[in-house]
mmCIF file of all heavy atoms in Angstrom:
data_model
loop_
_atom_site.group_PDB
_atom_site.id
_atom_site.type_symbol
_atom_site.label_atom_id
_atom_site.label_comp_id
_atom_site.label_asym_id
_atom_site.label_seq_id
_atom_site.Cartn_x
_atom_site.Cartn_y
_atom_site.Cartn_z
ATOM 1 N N ARG A 206 19.080 5.903 -26.646
ATOM 2 C CA ARG A 206 18.141 4.967 -26.042
ATOM 3 C C ARG A 206 17.501 5.622 -24.813
ATOM 4 O O ARG A 206 16.289 5.503 -24.577
ATOM 5 C CB ARG A 206 18.906 3.726 -25.693
ATOM 6 C CG ARG A 206 18.019 2.557 -25.324
ATOM 7 C CD ARG A 206 18.877 1.276 -25.337
ATOM 8 N NE ARG A 206 18.043 0.168 -24.952
ATOM 9 C CZ ARG A 206 18.274 -0.583 -23.891
ATOM 10 N NH1 ARG A 206 19.298 -0.296 -23.156
ATOM 11 N NH2 ARG A 206 17.544 -1.576 -23.615
ATOM 12 N N ARG A 207 18.312 6.330 -24.068
ATOM 13 C CA ARG A 207 17.758 6.913 -22.832
ATOM 14 C C ARG A 207 16.806 8.090 -23.176
ATOM 15 O O ARG A 207 15.752 8.250 -22.609
ATOM 16 C CB ARG A 207 18.904 7.398 -21.918
ATOM 17 C CG ARG A 207 19.780 6.314 -21.337
ATOM 18 C CD ARG A 207 20.760 6.835 -20.326
ATOM 19 N NE ARG A 207 21.747 7.695 -20.907
ATOM 20 C CZ ARG A 207 22.873 7.228 -21.492
ATOM 21 N NH1 ARG A 207 23.110 5.904 -21.532
ATOM 22 N NH2 ARG A 207 23.775 8.080 -21.989
ATOM 23 N N ARG A 284 5.648 14.682 -7.457
ATOM 24 C CA ARG A 284 5.180 13.353 -7.243
ATOM 25 C C ARG A 284 6.335 12.428 -6.977
ATOM 26 O O ARG A 284 6.171 11.181 -6.684
ATOM 27 C CB ARG A 284 4.402 12.820 -8.500
ATOM 28 C CG ARG A 284 3.026 13.428 -8.663
ATOM 29 C CD ARG A 284 2.243 12.684 -9.722
ATOM 30 N NE ARG A 284 2.982 12.636 -10.972
ATOM 31 C CZ ARG A 284 2.914 13.506 -11.962
ATOM 32 N NH1 ARG A 284 2.127 14.575 -11.797
ATOM 33 N NH2 ARG A 284 3.573 13.330 -13.039
ATOM 34 N N TYR A 288 12.660 10.649 -9.162
ATOM 35 C CA TYR A 288 13.747 9.915 -8.485
ATOM 36 C C TYR A 288 14.080 8.607 -9.277
ATOM 37 O O TYR A 288 15.270 8.234 -9.340
ATOM 38 C CB TYR A 288 13.352 9.533 -7.085
ATOM 39 C CG TYR A 288 13.271 10.685 -6.096
ATOM 40 C CD1 TYR A 288 12.777 10.483 -4.829
ATOM 41 C CD2 TYR A 288 13.616 11.950 -6.510
ATOM 42 C CE1 TYR A 288 12.690 11.515 -3.907
ATOM 43 C CE2 TYR A 288 13.483 13.007 -5.598
ATOM 44 C CZ TYR A 288 13.033 12.800 -4.289
ATOM 45 O OH TYR A 288 12.928 13.825 -3.434
ATOM 46 N N ASN A 289 13.037 7.949 -9.697
ATOM 47 C CA ASN A 289 13.249 6.603 -10.346
ATOM 48 C C ASN A 289 14.029 6.814 -11.682
ATOM 49 O O ASN A 289 14.514 5.833 -12.275
ATOM 50 C CB ASN A 289 11.942 5.918 -10.636
ATOM 51 C CG ASN A 289 11.227 5.594 -9.390
ATOM 52 O OD1 ASN A 289 11.853 5.356 -8.335
ATOM 53 N ND2 ASN A 289 9.915 5.574 -9.417
ATOM 54 N N LYS A 293 18.965 6.767 -11.892
ATOM 55 C CA LYS A 293 19.526 5.750 -12.789
ATOM 56 C C LYS A 293 20.721 6.500 -13.544
ATOM 57 O O LYS A 293 20.887 7.671 -13.406
ATOM 58 C CB LYS A 293 18.406 5.349 -13.858
ATOM 59 C CG LYS A 293 17.248 4.622 -13.226
ATOM 60 C CD LYS A 293 17.409 3.187 -13.365
ATOM 61 C CE LYS A 293 16.177 2.346 -12.892
ATOM 62 N NZ LYS A 293 15.808 2.544 -11.500
ATOM 63 N N PRO A 294 21.450 5.684 -14.333
ATOM 64 C CA PRO A 294 22.529 6.319 -15.051
ATOM 65 C C PRO A 294 22.008 7.280 -16.209
ATOM 66 O O PRO A 294 22.109 6.957 -17.413
ATOM 67 C CB PRO A 294 23.396 5.183 -15.646
ATOM 68 C CG PRO A 294 22.529 3.969 -15.450
ATOM 69 C CD PRO A 294 21.489 4.254 -14.479
ATOM 70 N N VAL A 295 21.313 8.325 -15.768
ATOM 71 C CA VAL A 295 20.709 9.262 -16.719
ATOM 72 C C VAL A 295 21.160 10.655 -16.286
ATOM 73 O O VAL A 295 21.064 11.026 -15.033
ATOM 74 C CB VAL A 295 19.157 9.181 -16.669
ATOM 75 C CG1 VAL A 295 18.512 10.278 -17.491
ATOM 76 C CG2 VAL A 295 18.674 7.785 -17.113
ATOM 77 N N ARG A 297 20.991 14.767 -16.002
ATOM 78 C CA ARG A 297 19.874 15.699 -15.870
ATOM 79 C C ARG A 297 19.468 16.270 -17.216
ATOM 80 O O ARG A 297 18.344 16.458 -17.521
ATOM 81 C CB ARG A 297 20.217 16.852 -14.847
ATOM 82 C CG ARG A 297 20.552 16.347 -13.454
ATOM 83 C CD ARG A 297 19.293 16.422 -12.610
ATOM 84 N NE ARG A 297 19.556 16.002 -11.263
ATOM 85 C CZ ARG A 297 19.561 16.831 -10.184
ATOM 86 N NH1 ARG A 297 19.264 18.105 -10.368
ATOM 87 N NH2 ARG A 297 19.814 16.388 -8.952
ATOM 88 N N ARG A 445 21.774 21.902 -11.139
ATOM 89 C CA ARG A 445 22.166 22.428 -9.822
ATOM 90 C C ARG A 445 21.074 22.322 -8.778
ATOM 91 O O ARG A 445 21.253 22.709 -7.620
ATOM 92 C CB ARG A 445 22.552 23.941 -9.952
ATOM 93 C CG ARG A 445 23.713 24.187 -10.900
ATOM 94 C CD ARG A 445 23.950 25.678 -11.043
ATOM 95 N NE ARG A 445 24.312 26.286 -9.766
ATOM 96 C CZ ARG A 445 25.542 26.290 -9.238
ATOM 97 N NH1 ARG A 445 26.493 25.700 -9.825
ATOM 98 N NH2 ARG A 445 25.688 26.889 -8.039
ATOM 99 N N ASP A 447 18.428 20.850 -6.195
ATOM 100 C CA ASP A 447 18.215 19.717 -5.235
ATOM 101 C C ASP A 447 16.863 19.091 -5.443
ATOM 102 O O ASP A 447 15.869 19.832 -5.527
ATOM 103 C CB ASP A 447 18.368 20.190 -3.737
ATOM 104 C CG ASP A 447 19.765 20.572 -3.423
ATOM 105 O OD1 ASP A 447 20.686 20.051 -4.109
ATOM 106 O OD2 ASP A 447 19.952 21.370 -2.509
ATOM 107 N N LEU A 448 16.798 17.777 -5.562
ATOM 108 C CA LEU A 448 15.515 17.131 -5.810
ATOM 109 C C LEU A 448 15.022 16.411 -4.527
ATOM 110 O O LEU A 448 15.750 16.093 -3.686
ATOM 111 C CB LEU A 448 15.648 16.062 -6.928
ATOM 112 C CG LEU A 448 16.041 16.708 -8.288
ATOM 113 C CD1 LEU A 448 16.276 15.604 -9.320
ATOM 114 C CD2 LEU A 448 14.938 17.610 -8.797
ATOM 115 N N LYS B 782 25.670 18.910 4.163
ATOM 116 C CA LYS B 782 24.641 19.604 3.334
ATOM 117 C C LYS B 782 24.015 20.753 4.212
ATOM 118 O O LYS B 782 23.438 20.494 5.255
ATOM 119 C CB LYS B 782 23.572 18.653 2.871
ATOM 120 C CG LYS B 782 22.474 19.321 2.069
ATOM 121 C CD LYS B 782 22.960 19.944 0.786
ATOM 122 C CE LYS B 782 21.948 20.737 0.029
ATOM 123 N NZ LYS B 782 22.464 21.389 -1.184
ATOM 124 N N LYS B 823 20.517 10.833 -0.706
ATOM 125 C CA LYS B 823 20.286 11.654 -1.949
ATOM 126 C C LYS B 823 21.613 12.263 -2.380
ATOM 127 O O LYS B 823 21.742 12.453 -3.661
ATOM 128 C CB LYS B 823 19.283 12.734 -1.594
ATOM 129 C CG LYS B 823 17.816 12.233 -1.525
ATOM 130 C CD LYS B 823 16.875 13.403 -1.276
ATOM 131 C CE LYS B 823 15.401 13.011 -1.485
ATOM 132 N NZ LYS B 823 14.568 14.089 -1.251
ATOM 133 N N GLY B 827 23.283 11.679 -6.176
ATOM 134 C CA GLY B 827 23.307 12.861 -7.085
ATOM 135 C C GLY B 827 22.014 13.602 -7.145
ATOM 136 O O GLY B 827 21.776 14.449 -8.005
ATOM 137 N N LEU B 828 21.008 13.295 -6.256
ATOM 138 C CA LEU B 828 19.711 13.957 -6.257
ATOM 139 C C LEU B 828 19.826 15.307 -5.514
ATOM 140 O O LEU B 828 19.063 16.176 -5.772
ATOM 141 C CB LEU B 828 18.671 13.091 -5.562
ATOM 142 C CG LEU B 828 18.385 11.760 -6.292
ATOM 143 C CD1 LEU B 828 17.478 10.917 -5.424
ATOM 144 C CD2 LEU B 828 17.846 11.951 -7.656
ATOM 145 N N ARG B 830 22.762 18.259 -4.209
ATOM 146 C CA ARG B 830 24.143 18.748 -4.308
ATOM 147 C C ARG B 830 24.716 18.909 -2.929
ATOM 148 O O ARG B 830 24.192 19.638 -2.067
ATOM 149 C CB ARG B 830 24.152 20.089 -4.995
ATOM 150 C CG ARG B 830 24.008 20.045 -6.516
ATOM 151 C CD ARG B 830 23.679 21.389 -7.091
ATOM 152 N NE ARG B 830 24.699 22.338 -6.771
ATOM 153 C CZ ARG B 830 25.830 22.562 -7.482
ATOM 154 N NH1 ARG B 830 26.015 21.839 -8.567
ATOM 155 N NH2 ARG B 830 26.679 23.463 -7.135
ATOM 156 N N ARG B 846 26.918 10.446 -14.105
ATOM 157 C CA ARG B 846 26.088 9.423 -14.755
ATOM 158 C C ARG B 846 26.825 8.075 -14.813
ATOM 159 O O ARG B 846 26.181 7.040 -14.496
ATOM 160 C CB ARG B 846 25.805 9.858 -16.221
ATOM 161 C CG ARG B 846 24.629 9.128 -16.885
ATOM 162 C CD ARG B 846 24.588 9.270 -18.367
ATOM 163 N NE ARG B 846 25.720 8.575 -18.977
ATOM 164 C CZ ARG B 846 25.693 7.252 -19.179
ATOM 165 N NH1 ARG B 846 24.700 6.496 -18.790
ATOM 166 N NH2 ARG B 846 26.743 6.647 -19.760
ATOM 167 N N ARG B 849 26.823 6.026 -11.667
ATOM 168 C CA ARG B 849 25.572 5.475 -11.192
ATOM 169 C C ARG B 849 25.207 4.183 -12.002
ATOM 170 O O ARG B 849 24.198 3.556 -11.728
ATOM 171 C CB ARG B 849 24.412 6.463 -11.327
ATOM 172 C CG ARG B 849 24.457 7.599 -10.330
ATOM 173 C CD ARG B 849 23.152 8.297 -10.232
ATOM 174 N NE ARG B 849 22.756 8.930 -11.444
ATOM 175 C CZ ARG B 849 23.151 10.165 -11.877
ATOM 176 N NH1 ARG B 849 23.994 10.879 -11.114
ATOM 177 N NH2 ARG B 849 22.696 10.681 -12.965
ATOM 178 N N TYR B 860 6.999 6.396 -6.139
ATOM 179 C CA TYR B 860 5.863 6.749 -6.945
ATOM 180 C C TYR B 860 6.160 6.414 -8.456
ATOM 181 O O TYR B 860 7.266 6.503 -8.820
ATOM 182 C CB TYR B 860 5.522 8.232 -6.846
ATOM 183 C CG TYR B 860 5.008 8.582 -5.470
ATOM 184 C CD1 TYR B 860 5.801 8.851 -4.448
ATOM 185 C CD2 TYR B 860 3.598 8.653 -5.250
ATOM 186 C CE1 TYR B 860 5.364 9.143 -3.157
ATOM 187 C CE2 TYR B 860 3.143 8.955 -3.984
ATOM 188 C CZ TYR B 860 4.015 9.234 -2.991
ATOM 189 O OH TYR B 860 3.504 9.501 -1.760
ATOM 190 N N SER B 878 18.287 1.877 -17.297
ATOM 191 C CA SER B 878 19.428 1.297 -16.557
ATOM 192 C C SER B 878 20.432 0.703 -17.496
ATOM 193 O O SER B 878 21.543 0.256 -17.091
ATOM 194 C CB SER B 878 18.889 0.107 -15.705
ATOM 195 O OG SER B 878 17.991 0.670 -14.737
ATOM 196 N N LEU B 880 19.928 -1.984 -19.554
ATOM 197 C CA LEU B 880 19.777 -3.430 -19.791
ATOM 198 C C LEU B 880 19.584 -3.696 -21.277
ATOM 199 O O LEU B 880 18.752 -3.014 -21.902
ATOM 200 C CB LEU B 880 18.595 -3.960 -18.963
ATOM 201 C CG LEU B 880 18.502 -5.441 -18.680
ATOM 202 C CD1 LEU B 880 19.613 -5.846 -17.708
ATOM 203 C CD2 LEU B 880 17.176 -5.782 -18.064
ATOM 204 N N GLU B 882 18.223 -4.870 -24.770
ATOM 205 C CA GLU B 882 16.826 -5.016 -25.107
ATOM 206 C C GLU B 882 16.299 -6.490 -25.017
ATOM 207 O O GLU B 882 15.209 -6.702 -24.571
ATOM 208 C CB GLU B 882 16.613 -4.433 -26.578
ATOM 209 C CG GLU B 882 15.279 -3.941 -26.921
ATOM 210 C CD GLU B 882 14.780 -2.713 -26.066
ATOM 211 O OE1 GLU B 882 15.614 -1.860 -25.837
ATOM 212 O OE2 GLU B 882 13.593 -2.742 -25.676
ATOM 213 N N GLN B 921 12.198 -2.213 -9.589
ATOM 214 C CA GLN B 921 12.849 -1.208 -10.506
ATOM 215 C C GLN B 921 14.275 -0.927 -9.976
ATOM 216 O O GLN B 921 15.147 -0.576 -10.780
ATOM 217 C CB GLN B 921 12.016 -0.010 -10.643
ATOM 218 C CG GLN B 921 11.864 0.963 -9.417
ATOM 219 C CD GLN B 921 13.052 1.816 -9.150
ATOM 220 O OE1 GLN B 921 13.783 2.143 -10.060
ATOM 221 N NE2 GLN B 921 13.245 2.216 -7.899
#
Side-chain angles (χ1 to χ4, degrees):
Chain A
R206 194 163 177 243
R207 292 188 294 275
R284 289 191 304 270
Y288 290 173
N289 297 330
K293 297 263 186 299
V295 173
R297 296 267 181 112
R445 298 178 60 83
D447 290 336
L448 298 174
Chain B
K782 178 63 185 177
K823 283 184 170 179
L828 298 173
R830 282 165 58 85
R846 195 197 74 75
R849 289 197 298 275
Y860 291 83
S878 299
L880 200 67
E882 205 65 40
Q921 70 79 27

